[in-house]
Amino acid sequence: MEAAEKATCRSVDNFNPLITTIFQVSCILVISHMFHILLKPLGQPGPFAQLLAGVVVGPTLLSRIRRVEDFFLQASSAEYYMLFSFLCRMLFMFSIGLETDIPYLKRNIRVVSIVAGGGIILASICAAPLLWLLIKVFTVTKSRFPFYLLIFTVLANTASPVVIRMIAESKFDNADLGRLAIYSSLISEMSCVAFVATLTACSSTIRLVGAIIATLVTVLLIFLNNYLPFVFNKRNRHNRFLTNSELFLIIFILLAISLLVESAGYTAITCCFLAGLMFPREGKTCRTLLHKLTYAVNTFVLPVYFGYTGFQFNISKIFNKLTLILTVLIILLSAGTKIVATLAACYYLKIPRNESLILSFLLNMKGNYDLIIINSPPVPKMLWENDIHDLFLSVVVLKTLILAPVVAIWLNRGEFCAHYPTTLEILNPESELRMMACAYIPRHVSGYLSLISALSGCPNATLNPYVAHLVELRKKKKSKLMYHQLEDGDQYSDEEEYGGNDVVQITNALDSFISETKIPVHEAKIVSSFLTINQDVCNGAVDLRVSIIFLPFHKHQRVDGKMENSMEGIRTINQKVIRHAPCSVGIFLDRGQTGFQQPHGSLCVQNIATFFFGGPDDREALACSKRILMHSQVSLTVFRFIQANSSIQNSWISDASHKDEEVVMAISSIGTENEMDNVFVDSFYNRYVAQGKASLIEKYVSDGAETLVALREILDNMYSLVIVGKGGRENSSLTIGMSDWEECPELGLVGDLLASSEMNFSGSLLVIQQHRHS
């Protein structure tokens, strides 16, 4: 609007407007990165620095200089700025749709809708008296209905890109509260778009026809986006990514359809978001789009978009006393509306008060759809009066500039994004389980996929698995090829060369698994020196908020059944991760064809045994077993080893009213490890054994020798997987003498014995260590 206003004073461009626009974008990028470097140590997010950079470049500061103003604000500058804004919006809304966690949204749609809907309903009510006041102030005689839509949008809308970037930069996006804020902002923004579009479509026949056209072309885009990935995935079966030409075709179709929606008189942000949301997640097409778009959007597109928002703001426009009073009034009304509505919704949903408060501030972020309504009214060939435009633009920019630093400081305090839960024992078996499996070579992945398949068997629980490919960082090899000499789809950076052909094999294995089981598995790659890669694994576990890390055993089974070292460096890394892990750790020994197989699609039932000697590690192993036994193709037997002369009583709870309840253990009230073990096993018995979902067998032994005999007896049966805790109970007489042949301390006494070739055990082994809370 500022550019359009200046354009009325000039009929001829003094400079090429394309050059000035590109230079302006470059200035915003450079200054925003400088601000980000300066403000990041203070905990300030990228959107705040980028918005501030736009304010500095714009009429508030640098563009007040006459020569700078003449250079930046050409006669046709407004068209170029609008085009750049449209392209940025299209790309980041499509990217947001691609990254949307659909399973989370399905599980929590009620909660998210209540939080978002409260603000929208209250805003629609509060917009009426504000409309009456502003009509009197600005003497609005025509277009009062669009004016109401403008006020409603400014009060109700939450800028989802701002919220998403703030939460992502605070490493808060995997926490429950962070995800609730992200999807509440998305629902809020999409609801505002739908509300305004519906009322506008009902206002005239022409607008209704435009709405129908926009809907049809959106459906066409979704259909094309479901067909093209299928074709491209088949064409690139042996590649990790699509070619550049195929990627360009997808973006071109998205651009063309978005332009059709915009020409029909409606914003294309919903169209682009739905296209990304409905895009098939399996295969190379989605991976390529995420790989290419995520970096570009976060590094260039959003900084330019936020910067241009700040560029439009002119602080001199609010120096008028009346305008200043109205700006403060609308900011307070808008903030109060969101805070009151969100707190009320959170009170109804029983969300803690401190989390409710920070959620209400996050949902106060502005700067996306509200800007579209401010710059492009919902009525064709209509422009707001300059006073109205400047007032609402000032409200949007100032509100975000004021609240963003406050929210960032609040988030960086860390109390809202603590890494919790870090053990499976305290995790409800029907709640979401976040896990990370680390693989060095493709052979490790097949075993992990079997584990993921088994852990996803509970219909009421959600599994969120990450497979991290750990690659050793070696010295760089300088490429002698210029960029134009690379094959289509290759990268000039040698980042993708790390891991060699293993990367493609791991990717293909994951693609096949996802296609077959429909279980979404996230792929990651950690490239680091083996001396420090354990730190990256632990940091990744914290960022992803996983409850357990799975590591591969450093040995593999040969054809003759003997164990052979794969990579000695793996053992050292495993030992470091076990010592410093921020959550529980499991070491997985996969024995291939004779070991644990993928339950999904299998006709055979997998027999699994869990050994329980007592102690926190064994309770963690049993907690993991709870997740696995819920799969229909898994049969679990738990063997509890008890001291032969022990006076442990089996107080199985038989009251039917307690069968479906999980016993909550309070460490302070139970006191001893023995009592904790009894309560945990009692809980397991009543919930699973008594209902016929698992078996529990007690083995009475006196010492390590009898324990060894009992283990050999058990392993004579065909168990494809054995789960055991690493530590057992300290100084237990059940394992006396078993440490004489200990070879791998990281597996514990029983785990080390089961992993040895002497036991003649052909099944897979999972050894779990519970996270020790400091």
Side-chain angles (χ1 to χ4, degrees):
M1 178 61 74
E2 188 72 25
E5 188 179 322
K6 296 295 180 182
T8 59
C9 303
R10 302 183 179 90
S11 57
V12 180
D13 294 328
N14 296 325
F15 302 93
N16 187 323
L18 181 60
I19 294 176
T20 60
T21 304
I22 293 173
F23 189 77
Q24 179 202 20
V25 167
S26 302
C27 287
I28 289 174
L29 283 173
V30 171
I31 295 175
S32 67
H33 282 298
M34 289 172 58
F35 279 156
H36 191 43
I37 292 171
L38 293 173
L39 296 174
K40 190 174 182 180
L42 303 177
Q44 295 308 309
F48 175 72
Q50 293 144 12
L51 199 62
L52 199 59
V55 171
V56 169
V57 175
T60 298
L61 196 60
L62 290 180
S63 291
R64 295 181 71 87
I65 303 171
R66 185 66 182 176
R67 290 186 178 181
V68 176
E69 179 187 15
D70 291 341
F71 181 73
F72 279 152
L73 302 176
Q74 302 296 307
S76 56
S77 293
E79 289 79 7
Y80 285 91
Y81 296 148
M82 289 176 65
L83 176 62
F84 266 69
S85 295
F86 165 73
L87 293 174
C88 290
R89 264 197 317 271
M90 179 196 73
L91 289 173
F92 70 65
M93 290 309 298
F94 180 65
S95 177
I96 288 172
L98 275 177
E99 294 176 346
T100 298
D101 188 348
I102 297 177
Y104 175 85
L105 201 53
K106 286 180 178 178
R107 292 194 314 272
N108 298 279
I109 188 65
R110 174 181 169 272
V111 175
V112 170
S113 299
I114 290 174
V115 172
I120 293 172
I121 293 171
L122 190 56
S124 64
I125 297 171
C126 294
L130 185 58
L131 173 67
W132 176 84
L133 175 63
L134 295 180
I135 285 175
K136 297 293 184 183
V137 172
F138 294 109
T139 320
V140 179
T141 56
K142 298 180 180 179
S143 304
R144 291 186 176 182
F145 177 65
F147 193 35
Y148 170 79
L149 294 180
L150 169 65
I151 296 171
F152 162 77
T153 304
V154 171
L155 293 182
N157 184 65
T158 299
S160 54
V162 180
V163 175
I164 290 170
R165 286 312 305 156
M166 287 188 65
I167 290 176
E169 291 190 15
S170 302
K171 296 184 178 179
F172 191 43
D173 49 336
N174 288 308
D176 288 338
L177 183 60
R179 289 188 289 179
L180 177 58
I182 288 173
Y183 295 114
S184 296
S185 68
L186 274 172
I187 294 294
S188 174
E189 188 152 58
M190 294 301 112
S191 299
C192 287
V193 175
F195 180 76
V196 173
T198 302
L199 293 182
T200 304
C202 296
S203 62
S204 68
T205 306
I206 296 176
R207 301 293 289 167
L208 181 59
V209 172
I212 294 173
I213 294 173
T215 304
L216 290 176
V217 296
T218 301
V219 172
L220 174 63
L221 177 60
I222 293 172
F223 171 77
L224 289 174
N225 279 345
N226 277 271
Y227 173 74
L228 287 177
F230 175 75
V231 176
F232 291 157
N233 288 342
K234 289 186 68 175
R235 287 185 58 185
N236 296 274
R237 192 168 297 169
H238 302 294
N239 298 324
R240 193 181 180 209
F241 296 113
L242 301 186
T243 61
N244 291 332
S245 57
E246 291 166 337
L247 179 66
F248 176 78
L249 177 61
I250 294 173
I251 299 298
F252 175 78
I253 292 174
L254 179 69
L255 172 62
I257 299 294
S258 300
L259 285 172
L260 280 175
V261 173
E262 295 271 344
S263 63
Y266 294 89
T267 178
I269 63 174
T270 304
C271 170
C272 295
F273 173 73
L274 289 176
L277 185 69
M278 304 298 289
F279 202 91
R281 298 301 198 269
E282 304 91 1
K284 300 167 176 59
T285 306
C286 183
R287 182 186 306 109
T288 304
L289 286 168
L290 286 172
H291 178 76
K292 301 278 188 178
L293 286 181
T294 301
Y295 178 78
V297 166
N298 294 338
T299 309
F300 301 105
V301 173
L302 283 176
V304 171
Y305 186 75
F306 294 145
Y308 178 58
T309 300
F311 180 82
Q312 298 175 74
F313 173 63
N314 189 347
I315 196 170
S316 63
K317 299 293 184 180
I318 63 170
F319 284 158
N320 179 284
K321 187 176 181 180
L322 178 61
T323 306
L324 182 60
I325 292 173
L326 288 174
T327 301
V328 173
L329 174 65
I330 297 174
I331 289 175
L332 291 176
L333 180 62
S334 174
T337 300
K338 277 288 185 184
I339 291 172
V340 170
T342 305
L343 289 178
C346 291
Y347 178 80
Y348 171 74
L349 295 168
K350 296 181 173 56
I351 297 174
R353 188 178 302 172
N354 57 345
E355 295 183 5
S356 305
L357 195 57
I358 194 169
L359 182 61
S360 65
F361 274 80
L362 277 166
L363 295 182
N364 263 294
M365 297 297 106
K366 304 291 181 183
N368 190 28
Y369 182 59
D370 37 21
L371 279 176
I372 298 174
I373 296 294
I374 291 170
N375 291 323
S376 304
V379 176
K381 299 180 181 179
M382 174 189 171
L383 289 176
W384 302 115
E385 294 293 332
N386 289 336
D387 290 343
I388 295 175
H389 174 270
D390 294 336
L391 170 66
F392 285 99
L393 181 64
S394 301
V395 168
V396 168
V397 175
L398 287 175
K399 187 179 180 185
T400 305
L401 283 175
I402 292 169
L403 292 181
V406 176
V407 174
I409 293 171
W410 213 338
L411 286 175
N412 288 323
R413 288 170 60 185
E415 59 187 84
F416 301 103
C417 48
H419 182 198
Y420 178 89
T422 58
T423 66
L424 302 182
E425 182 183 352
I426 62 175
L427 192 65
N428 189 316
E430 294 184 352
S431 61
E432 181 189 40
L433 171 61
R434 304 178 68 87
M435 55 161 282
M436 182 169 72
C438 300
Y440 296 87
I441 52 179
R443 183 173 60 241
H444 296 154
V445 175
S446 59
Y448 288 144
L449 295 181
S450 300
L451 268 182
I452 291 170
S453 174
L455 287 166
S456 64
C458 182
N460 299 322
T462 302
L463 182 67
N464 209 336
Y466 293 82
V467 173
H469 183 198
L470 308 187
V471 182
E472 183 179 9
L473 178 64
R474 293 188 172 94
K475 290 183 179 180
K476 275 190 174 182
K477 296 180 180 179
K478 294 184 179 180
S479 175
K480 297 181 180 179
L481 296 178
M482 301 297 289
Y483 183 83
H484 67 275
Q485 294 175 302
L486 297 174
E487 293 182 8
D488 190 21
D490 284 353
Q491 303 295 310
Y492 190 68
S493 168
D494 60 350
E495 176 191 354
E496 294 305 319
E497 293 180 6
Y498 291 118
N501 195 47
D502 287 351
V503 176
V504 178
Q505 292 183 41
I506 290 173
T507 298
N508 289 339
L510 293 178
D511 287 345
S512 299
F513 176 79
I514 295 170
S515 177
E516 180 183 346
T517 63
K518 305 304 178 186
I519 301 171
V521 180
H522 308 282
E523 184 182 2
K525 185 163 67 171
I526 299 177
V527 181
S528 181
S529 166
F530 272 9
L531 294 175
T532 59
I533 201 168
N534 60 292
Q535 299 174 10
D536 295 315
V537 170
C538 294
N539 293 336
V542 172
D543 292 342
L544 297 174
R545 287 178 170 78
V546 299
S547 297
I548 187 167
I549 302 171
F550 289 111
L551 300 170
F553 190 49
H554 66 278
K555 294 183 179 180
H556 69 276
Q557 184 171 278
R558 299 187 315 201
V559 179
D560 59 1
K562 299 294 184 181
M563 301 301 295
E564 181 179 60
N565 279 356
S566 301
M567 299 166 62
E568 188 58 34
I570 295 180
R571 183 181 183 183
T572 306
I573 295 168
N574 288 351
Q575 292 169 342
K576 290 180 180 178
V577 172
I578 287 173
R579 282 197 300 269
H580 304 291
C583 60
S584 296
V585 180
I587 296 182
F588 185 58
L589 167 58
D590 179 32
R591 284 198 166 98
Q593 295 300 318
T594 62
F596 188 59
Q597 304 298 313
Q598 180 180 313
H600 270 87
S602 174
L603 299 177
C604 302
V605 174
Q606 300 281 313
N607 294 313
I608 299 176
T610 299
F611 296 155
F612 190 90
F613 292 86
D617 291 346
D618 281 17
R619 292 197 298 273
E620 192 74 358
L622 188 56
C624 182
S625 303
K626 288 181 185 180
R627 292 270 180 169
I628 294 177
L629 71 84
M630 298 306 294
H631 200 288
S632 58
Q633 295 300 105
V634 166
S635 174
L636 175 70
T637 303
V638 177
F639 294 91
R640 187 181 187 188
F641 290 81
I642 302 174
Q643 187 72 32
N645 57 359
S646 172
S647 58
I648 292 178
Q649 305 215 348
N650 302 329
S651 54
W652 309 125
I653 303 172
S654 58
D655 186 357
S657 63
H658 295 288
K659 284 185 179 180
D660 294 327
E661 297 178 4
E662 194 71 25
V663 177
V664 179
M665 297 181 298
I667 295 176
S668 58
S669 63
I670 295 179
T672 66
E673 286 287 336
N674 188 50
E675 290 172 335
M676 293 174 68
D677 292 339
N678 288 338
V679 172
F680 197 76
V681 174
D682 286 353
S683 169
F684 176 82
Y685 181 89
N686 286 286
R687 183 161 185 169
Y688 301 103
V689 179
Q691 296 184 16
K693 297 177 182 177
S695 301
L696 177 63
I697 300 174
E698 294 179 339
K699 292 287 185 180
Y700 290 88
V701 294
S702 300
D703 52 26
E706 290 188 13
T707 300
L708 181 58
V709 172
L711 288 175
R712 292 185 184 277
E713 218 175 82
I714 293 169
L715 296 178
D716 284 341
N717 299 313
M718 295 300 293
Y719 290 105
S720 60
L721 174 65
V722 169
I723 304 174
V724 65
K726 171 180 176 282
R729 188 173 298 151
E730 293 184 5
N731 303 319
S732 173
S733 58
L734 300 179
T735 54
I736 288 177
M738 292 177 63
S739 60
D740 295 345
W741 55 77
E742 187 177 34
E743 182 184 355
C744 301
E746 65 270 20
L747 297 180
L749 295 177
V750 179
D752 186 33
L753 182 66
L754 296 174
S756 65
S757 304
E758 286 74 14
M759 282 299 291
N760 196 28
F761 172 53
S762 60
S764 298
L765 174 66
L766 177 60
V767 180
I768 297 180
Q769 173 186 279
Q770 187 180 78
H771 177 238
R772 307 293 196 261
H773 294 277
S774 55

